[in-house]
Amino acid sequence: MKKALPTYFLISILILAGCAQKTEQKDLGPGKTQETKAPQTKAISHPTLVFCYPDSNFIRDFQEKYGMTAWYHYRDSLGSKFFRHKAFCSEEKIPAYSTDQRFIRFNLSGQEIIFDNRLFLEGAGVLMFDGIRPPKILDKEKFNTESLALSQKPALKQVEKQPHTNLPAPKIEEIAATKTHLAIRENTDSVKLLIPLDADGIDPIALRRIIKSRPLPANTLEDIARLNTKTLLSVVFENDIFSNTDRYFTNGSQIHLYSPVFATIASAQIFLPYNKYAVHTYGLGVVQNIYTPSTTKLGGIQYGDRPYSGVLYASFSRNSTDLKRRQSLISEVNAGVIGPASEGEFVQSLVHNVVPTNDEPLGWEYQIQNDIVLNYDLWFEKQWFLQGKFSANTILGAQAGTLYDKAWFGASAYYSYIQNGFQSSNDLLSRIQKNAAFNWRLFVDLRSSLNIYDATLQGGMFNKSSVYTISATETEKVVFKGQFGGGFTYKWLGFRATQNILSPEFVGGKFHFWGSFHLLFFLN
């Protein structure tokens, strides 16, 4: 019994020591944690890539901020990205390790280095540890080239394919062999088949069986959409005062918030589907546009001129940007009112009263009367030229509903300080595509529209009580619009200035010029 006491005492000390070394945090209630030290996991000492998944705290915070649906989108996109990276590692024989712990320990020449997972701004990423230098965060755009430094792939000699009369004839891109296996990869996909070799070479029956039992996916791995997790605030102000006029489209104001939380709105299903690889950016906004005749200093109805009208509507949009195919698809649903309820008269009168040299606008009592606004707008932009810092796109658009019924055709050209590969008339992803702190660009955009219906000229589609409108026969069926300007993005801020030119919209009308300013705030 006396001999057993020291043994029990030693075991008790070891158990207490093990409990004292338990890990990083204690739960102190919702949103409160107390950090102690990194968990005592085995330190990584050999060269490897470490795929770091979001830890439990990141997952909880993400779900509380954006909701479960947004988390599922982000998790799927992360799994898709890591799957492609891991497939590349397997093909190039690059050692890889996965973990979802907050702290990852490395052993560098006897010295312990602890990496904190919170250094990844998006909660996840890939580390490269070569055993010689401290671990390095891999750039996602340079993953393939940088990770090859750890490749253990031996140089394999190319061998000739054994002729077999019954062997299927897939298009072979690469054949490499060892003593026991033959690797075949078709150039139509990224699947690599390992075929066992018998004493006489390839067994054609075994080859057919393997190909048949391993069907390829209907879509390649790149054809997976993911959610843009960034939050952006966009503010646009347009006015013809910058062109020293006060007529036609005289003022426009827009404010939009883009956030992944809007992807959870059930009506997001109304957007035209885009099933290829793309980044989806969802937004909600409010737009007000004001239209007047060529002068606001005359009372009464100005026949042969543009009628007074105001438009106010809410906008729900999705921007699907496909960097692989260098194209984007923007779907937008607008719902609101045209007429006095839009408060166009109030806003213009307020602006005129603020500027002492302006006269009170006359004639608003003859504006287009209240009617419903419900429109679906669709824009498709495709890049067809890219050379250095120059690029050019084509644009197709369609607007259908109670406000506008138009078809658009156009082209745009860009010169950028830092080439993003694909640029579009929508700036929302310009900073996300490149992590540079500063970027600027110049652009020219030329479009023409085929006009079928315009409620700001012809009156509401349902309410026909407006005193004065322009008939369909007096509207111009083809209208040209030009834009040119420039902008920049710097860290959390974006800015764009544009000069707009519009050809006459009705018989006897004039060309119209106005300027616009666009502010963009990157909130995370």
Side-chain angles (χ1 to χ4, degrees), residues 18-76:
C19 295
Q21 292 179 357
K22 286 190 176 178
T23 58
E24 54 193 88
Q25 297 181 341
K26 297 179 180 178
D27 189 2
L28 301 180
K32 299 180 180 180
T33 56
Q34 175 183 340
E35 297 185 5
T36 55
K37 59 180 180 179
Q40 297 301 311
T41 56
K42 184 178 179 181
I44 300 172
S45 58
H46 59 281
T48 185
L49 295 184
V50 181
F51 288 85
C52 302
Y53 289 85
D55 70 335
S56 57
N57 289 332
F58 177 90
I59 296 173
R60 180 196 62 206
D61 295 341
F62 190 100
Q63 292 174 349
E64 290 179 354
K65 185 175 182 180
Y66 300 118
M68 291 299 297
T69 303
W71 162 246
Y72 294 145
H73 279 284
Y74 176 70
R75 183 190 64 184
D76 292 344

Side-chain angles (χ1 to χ4, degrees), residues 165-432:
T165 56
N166 297 326
L167 183 65
K171 296 179 181 179
I172 302 300
E173 180 187 73
E174 176 182 330
I175 301 179
T178 65
K179 292 182 179 180
T180 58
H181 288 80
L182 175 71
I184 297 179
R185 183 172 63 190
E186 297 185 26
N187 61 6
T188 56
D189 57 80
S190 59
V191 177
K192 191 173 183 179
L193 304 177
L194 293 178
I195 312 300
L197 298 178
D198 57 22
D200 298 325
I202 304 175
D203 179 2
I205 298 178
L207 178 59
R208 281 200 208 94
R209 185 182 302 115
I210 292 175
I211 293 178
K212 185 176 180 180
S213 62
R214 191 151 176 198
L216 302 179
N219 295 322
T220 60
L221 294 175
E222 288 78 9
D223 291 338
I224 300 174
R226 67 184 180 91
L227 184 65
N228 178 13
T229 59
K230 303 296 182 181
T231 300
L232 309 100
L233 178 65
S234 170
V235 179
V236 180
F237 176 70
E238 301 180 275
N239 200 290
D240 59 350
I241 192 175
F242 303 116
S243 300
N244 197 30
T245 61
D246 188 17
R247 64 169 183 255
Y248 302 164
F249 174 58
T250 187
N251 188 81
S253 303
Q254 303 180 27
I255 182 168
H256 294 267
L257 180 64
Y258 299 89
S259 172
V261 299
F262 299 142
T264 62
I265 298 177
S267 58
Q269 304 300 322
I270 66 177
F271 294 129
L272 191 69
Y274 190 93
N275 297 323
K276 303 296 184 180
Y277 174 83
V279 178
H280 289 334
T281 303
Y282 289 86
L284 280 177
V286 178
V287 178
Q288 184 192 53
N289 293 328
I290 301 174
Y291 304 86
T292 68
S294 55
T295 178
T296 60
K297 298 179 181 180
L298 299 177
I301 299 175
Q302 301 181 41
Y303 292 98
D305 210 334
R306 209 186 207 288
Y308 281 92
S309 63
V311 179
L312 178 66
Y313 59 84
S315 174
F316 182 37
S317 64
R318 185 185 70 188
N319 181 349
S320 302
T321 301
D322 188 335
L323 299 180
K324 176 186 175 184
R325 297 170 180 83
R326 297 188 297 177
Q327 62 192 31
S328 68
L329 180 68
I330 301 176
S331 303
E332 187 172 353
V333 177
N334 302 318
V337 295
I338 181 173
S342 69
E343 298 296 343
E345 178 184 4
F346 170 77
V347 172
Q348 188 180 44
S349 299
L350 180 65
V351 172
H352 278 232
N353 291 333
V354 170
V355 181
T357 57
N358 281 345
D359 298 320
E360 181 75 18
L362 304 176
W364 271 102
E365 61 268 29
Y366 303 108
Q367 67 176 300
I368 289 175
Q369 293 304 295
N370 287 329
D371 208 339
I372 187 172
V373 166
L374 186 60
N375 244 72
Y376 190 97
D377 298 349
L378 195 64
W379 302 93
F380 177 77
E381 192 164 0
K382 172 71 175 180
Q383 185 182 83
W384 53 269
F385 175 80
L386 176 62
Q387 185 66 43
K389 297 182 179 181
F390 290 93
S391 61
N393 301 355
T394 52
I395 303 169
L396 298 176
Q399 297 176 281
T402 65
L403 182 60
Y404 301 120
D405 290 300
K406 301 181 179 183
W408 289 87
F409 312 89
S412 56
Y414 306 91
Y415 177 84
S416 179
Y417 173 66
I418 297 178
Q419 182 55 262
N420 284 331
F422 171 63
Q423 299 182 84
S424 69
S425 56
N426 193 298
D427 283 330
L428 297 183
L429 298 177
S430 60
R431 190 193 71 155
I432 299 173

Side-chain angles (χ1 to χ4, degrees), residues 138-179:
L138 285 188
D139 186 340
K140 58 184 178 182
E141 296 181 358
K142 301 178 181 178
F143 176 87
N144 288 9
T145 55
E146 292 186 352
S147 62
L148 283 176
L150 301 183
S151 177
Q152 301 173 359
K153 183 178 180 180
L156 298 177
K157 295 182 179 180
Q158 192 172 20
V159 298
E160 296 182 359
K161 184 173 63 172
Q162 300 290 338
H164 289 281
T165 56
N166 297 326
L167 183 65
K171 296 179 181 179
I172 302 300
E173 180 187 73
E174 176 182 330
I175 301 179
T178 65
K179 292 182 179 180

